[in-house]
Each structure stands twice: as C-alpha cells, then as structure tokens.
Amino acid sequence: MAKGLLWAKAEDLARNRGRVLSLYRQKLRSLNSPKLPINLASRLAKKAEARAIFMLGAEEESLHNIEDLIDTGEYALSLLRKGEIPKYIQ
C-alpha cells in the first residue's frame, strides 16, 4: 500500500473515506439532538454550515491537513454530544 509523504494518494483517500463519512453522519445526527438549545432555523443553518465545511474539506489533498480536519471534526462532535455548540462546526 502506497502512502504519500505530503500529498494524499488514492489509497490514502480511500483509507479515510469511511472515517469521514461516519463523522459526517454523526455530526448531522448530533445537530438534531434535543440537548442543543437552538431552534429549527438555527439547526438548519448549522447543518448547512457542516455540509459546506465537509464539501470544502473533500478537496483537500495534504495528508497533514486532512488529519487536522478529522481531529477538529471529532472535537466538535464531542462538544455537540455534551450539548454545547462549537463556535464553528468543522
């Protein structure tokens, strides 16, 4: 299995695909949680923000940036599960 040193190769992207899709789905589900003190319009806006961030992240090709985005996404998800709203859902 090839691993790019700096730029992601097809194998690197395929390896992260399941992890990123799972993170994306968990974030959208967490935004529907009744623990979050936001109204429907805010929920829809936060979901749109999360979708936009994931679409922009999909174009990333640097291995280090991809890992940073995944780590940031997992941190934001942990805040959502606690019932807190991250300033930026990334």
Side-chain angles (χ1 to χ4, degrees):
M1 178 181 296
K3 180 173 176 160
L5 296 176
L6 183 60
W7 302 108
K9 294 186 176 186
E11 293 89 1
D12 299 322
L13 296 175
R15 193 174 337 110
N16 287 325
R17 181 177 170 85
R19 187 174 170 196
V20 171
L21 286 175
S22 174
L23 183 61
Y24 176 71
R25 289 181 189 128
Q26 289 176 33
K27 275 193 163 189
L28 292 182
R29 279 191 216 118
S30 294
L31 285 169
N32 281 333
S33 173
K35 289 182 189 177
L36 293 178
I38 55 176
N39 60 21
L40 179 62
S42 296
R43 269 180 220 283
L44 294 176
K46 290 292 184 186
K47 283 183 178 183
E49 185 181 341
R51 285 186 190 103
I53 289 170
F54 271 89
M55 287 189 339
L56 289 173
E59 297 173 4
E60 186 57 55
E61 294 180 359
S62 166
L63 289 174
H64 303 292
N65 290 348
I66 291 170
E67 282 300 316
D68 288 344
L69 287 171
I70 290 173
D71 291 342
T72 304
E74 289 172 348
Y75 174 72
L77 182 60
S78 71
L79 288 178
L80 286 170
R81 286 183 176 158
K82 292 178 189 173
E84 300 174 19
I85 301 171
K87 184 173 182 182
Y88 300 106
I89 298 185
Q90 301 182 20

